[in-house]
Amino acid sequence: MSGSLNRPVRRRAFVLGGAAAAGTAALSGPLATAASAASFGWSDDGSNYVVDTGANLVFKVSKANGDLTSLVYRGTEYQGYGGKNSHVESGLGSSTVTIKQSGTTILISVVYGTLKHYYAARSGENNIYLWTNKADTSVSATRYIVRVKAGLFLNDEPDSYTYAPTVIESADVFVKSDGQTRSKHYAKRRVIDYSAIGWTTGSVGLYVVRSNHEKASGGPFYRSLLRHQSTDGGGLYEILYYGENQTEAERFGLQGPYVIAFTDGGTPSTSLYPGTLTTAWADSLGISGYVAASGRGKVAGVGISGRDTAYAYTVGLANSAAQYWGSARSSDGYFSIGGVLPGTYTLTVLKGELAVHTTSVTVTAGGTTTLNTIAIASSNDPANATAIWRIGTWDGTPAGFKNAELMTYAHPSDVRAAAWTGNVVIGSGSETASFPAYIWKDVNSGLLVYFRLTAAQAAAAHTLRIGVTTAYANGRPQVTVNSWVSSIPSPPAQPSTRSLTVGSYRGNNTTFTYSVPAGAWLGDTSQYNVLKIDVVSGSGTTSYLSAGTSIDALDLLA
């Protein structure tokens, strides 16, 4: 198998939820190609249930543990690497596995303790529909891994470590000989940014179409591993709860469908995408926890006033049982979120990734909750406060700061990263671009900001604000203004796992405020005031795994 990696056959650029590969025909409906002459149905080979979709796909599910043990498309086996099958989490172990056929649908049910998992096939489709119902914490995470044989697709992108043999962090972050870093964590995408994840050769595509993440945790901006490829094969993921960089408690219940889809090289049909994927044919299959469209409702808002039109706005719904989101129309803020389970939700309006309004809404089965124009109070957006100076923008992300974009798909030690130093002078015109997106106790703590004040400004007390998007190991900023030193703030609630080194700045947005007295300032405009920002914490280790934090914005209020 390793020798086949050197052959140029069947290799094209990968596609990550983007447009169809050039030269491929547009897809029609959920089918990758026209159905073949094979007959739809299933058989039992003793160890597996064997399903022929009647198109170009034949797959097997283990009768012992519910693993997907074979995935043959157009006569080629795609399943398996490292002696492992495709499965929920890392494999369930001994399970009760049953199969039934209802007309043009075959359903395989897997029961492992309190967890129930389902595979469904439809006659003439090259798709496998999956649902997972996790009732409690007896299974540690909720993810499905499609394990793909080596040599079938080529991927030397951020989420590949095929060409990066040197481990630099925790056995899952690697560096290439040219200094570029690779990790399965480096997906570059938030949940809201993709509908399907996979690879294409130009003539064959293999994708996982994500679910609506109704029972996932973390909201629309959560980042997690989506796929990886190494010398022994590749993996495609549907991550619902991974226990990494989580900002919310785990949700339980039925999640799906998500889909393993083969195509003729393009991305899967939009009819399979979250928000448009309907499975009325599954309403009567007896899937545990399944709620049909008729048992769901909708929330619609006529508009949102008080927006900053330079930013995209997202509306989210969340309670302990479910989460949903939708984009607000740029012209007027109109939004519509359908397929919502009945219940009372917190509705949050987000400017970029920063919450600027919350309210409560109740959804009923079969009904539409219509909201009048939502008015964002000026005080809810920190950008509306008058500032003497400001670095960055208040949008809940490190966007614009030095190395910010790179950090969603590279390690901070990557050769492409600019130096993590970043002392800046207010008025230079390059304050944000020169200031690092992340600050670590052991790397670049003690960053300096130089600024002048008028005598009138120096005669008054002022509030200094530092917004952060997440923190590692309780890292938080302590400030010194000239000779005045702030107290050490209490650490806010943040995920306890790695974040800054595995491609995610997403945590709980927090604003630290410091009341700086009038006596701290220098009012002679020929002299610079000096703000020093240190990261403090008694936790963390060294270097990029020392205590750290990511920056949203910082400003001195008038």
Side-chain angles (χ1 to χ4, degrees):
M1 184 60 65
S2 59
S4 66
L5 289 171
N6 299 316
R7 296 200 308 268
V9 243
R10 295 195 319 193
R11 305 224 178 119
R12 299 293 185 273
F14 76 100
V15 173
L16 186 130
T24 60
L27 303 178
S28 177
L31 300 184
T33 59
S36 70
S39 60
F40 176 72
W42 65 273
S43 60
D44 183 340
D45 70 3
S47 299
N48 306 277
Y49 291 122
V50 184
V51 178
D52 190 325
T53 66
N56 293 290
L57 175 63
V58 178
F59 66 93
K60 297 180 180 181
V61 174
S62 168
K63 295 165 59 180
N65 56 23
D67 282 5
L68 186 65
T69 60
S70 178
L71 198 58
V72 176
Y73 178 68
R74 294 182 181 171
T76 297
E77 176 67 74
Y78 285 82
Q79 150 58 39
Y81 72 81
K84 297 179 180 180
N85 297 319
S86 301
H87 41 220
V88 175
E89 188 41 14
S90 296
L92 295 177
S94 180
S95 304
T96 300
V97 184
T98 57
I99 189 168
K100 67 176 181 180
Q101 181 170 346
S102 304
T104 57
T105 301
I106 293 171
L107 180 72
I108 297 176
S109 303
V110 181
V111 178
Y112 174 77
T114 59
L115 185 141
K116 299 176 181 178
H117 179 72
Y118 303 91
Y119 301 90
R122 297 276 289 163
S123 178
E125 294 187 12
N126 292 309
N127 305 317
I128 306 173
Y129 298 82
L130 302 96
W131 289 262
T132 305
N133 189 333
K134 182 180 177 182
D136 53 38
T137 59
S138 57
V139 174
S140 61
T142 314
R143 63 177 179 176
Y144 194 91
I145 308 174
V146 180
R147 301 188 186 273
V148 183
K149 292 175 67 174
L152 297 171
F153 301 99
L154 177 64
N155 175 28
D156 182 22
E157 289 295 316
D159 55 14
S160 165
Y161 41 92
T162 300
Y163 307 99
T166 306
V167 176
I168 59 172
E169 182 180 300
S170 192
D172 60 8
V173 183
F174 305 81
V175 65
K176 295 173 59 176
S177 59
D178 63 4
Q180 290 193 13
T181 52
R182 297 286 188 265
S183 175
K184 63 184 179 182
H185 298 281
Y186 296 153
K188 301 174 67 172
R189 299 291 193 272
R190 308 168 301 172
V191 174
I192 198 173
D193 295 329
Y194 72 93
S195 293
I197 199 80
W199 299 287
T200 182
T201 66
S203 59
V204 174
L206 172 56
Y207 295 86
V208 169
V209 180
R210 74 164 172 84
S211 66
N212 65 358
H213 276 223
E214 173 178 86
K215 297 292 185 179
S217 297
F221 310 127
Y222 180 65
R223 297 175 187 266
S224 188
L225 57 161
L226 301 179
R227 64 175 196 178
H228 82 271
Q229 194 161 109
S230 61
T231 52
D232 61 352
L236 299 176
Y237 300 87
E238 166 75 336
I239 301 287
L240 301 172
Y241 187 83
Y242 195 53
E244 181 178 84
N245 209 37
Q246 291 286 353
T247 57
E248 296 180 291
E250 185 172 8
R251 294 182 172 93
F252 300 105
L254 183 71
Q255 178 63 60
Y258 48 105
V259 187
I260 301 171
F262 282 93
T263 76
D264 58 3
T267 51
S269 165
T270 55
S271 68
L272 287 180
Y273 282 179
T276 59
L277 175 54
T278 57
T279 54
W281 49 266
D283 290 359
S284 60
L285 294 180
I287 295 173
S288 176
Y290 185 93
V291 179
S294 60
R296 298 170 177 270
K298 177 190 289 188
V299 176
V302 299
I304 303 172
S305 64
R307 293 174 300 120
D308 182 339
T309 55
Y311 296 87
Y313 282 72
T314 302
V315 179
L317 302 175
N319 61 22
S320 62
Q323 62 169 7
Y324 308 91
W325 56 81
S327 297
R329 193 160 61 193
S330 60
S331 59
D332 55 9
Y334 167 83
F335 63 90
S336 179
I337 305 171
V340 179
L341 291 171
T344 298
Y345 294 84
T346 297
L347 181 150
T348 303
V349 179
L350 299 118
K351 167 195 173 185
E353 297 183 21
L354 184 66
V356 292
H357 178 86
T358 60
T359 189
S360 179
V361 296
T362 298
V363 179
T364 58
T368 297
T369 302
T370 303
L371 304 176
N372 294 326
T373 298
I374 294 173
I376 299 174
S378 177
S379 59
N380 284 358
D381 186 344
N384 291 327
T386 302
I388 297 172
W389 54 259
R390 177 170 291 141
I391 305 175
T393 58
W394 290 98
D395 64 355
T397 82
F401 285 104
K402 185 195 295 185
N403 295 326
E405 183 177 356
L406 179 66
M407 288 303 95
T408 65
Y409 59 91
H411 190 267
S413 64
D414 194 288
V415 68
R416 293 166 292 179
W420 286 103
T421 54
N423 298 341
V424 299
V425 178
I426 299 299
S428 65
S430 60
E431 296 93 334
T432 301
S434 300
F435 198 87
Y438 298 167
I439 309 176
W440 291 270
K441 183 178 180 181
D442 198 39
V443 175
N444 58 347
S445 186
L447 291 174
L448 303 178
V449 178
Y450 297 90
F451 59 97
R452 292 186 173 97
L453 295 177
T454 66
Q457 289 170 334
H462 294 285
T463 297
L464 175 72
R465 303 187 299 184
I466 300 179
V468 305
T469 69
T470 195
Y472 177 66
N474 287 328
R476 66 269 195 199
Q478 181 183 29
V479 302
T480 302
V481 177
N482 300 319
S483 60
W484 178 85
V485 182
S486 76
S487 59
I488 297 175
S490 299
Q494 297 289 4
S496 60
T497 55
R498 289 178 298 161
S499 54
L500 305 181
T501 62
V502 291
S504 179
Y505 56 77
R506 183 70 278 133
N508 295 310
N509 290 320
T510 302
T511 300
F512 294 92
T513 60
Y514 310 85
S515 298
V516 186
W521 312 110
L522 300 177
D524 183 345
T525 55
S526 67
Q527 295 179 296
Y528 279 110
N529 288 268
V530 181
L531 166 66
K532 181 174 177 245
I533 304 172
D534 288 296
V535 171
V536 294
S537 174
S539 305
T541 57
T542 59
S543 189
Y544 298 108
L545 288 179
S546 64
T549 189
S550 55
I551 303 298
D552 177 11
L554 58 154
D555 54 21
L556 182 65
L557 299 187

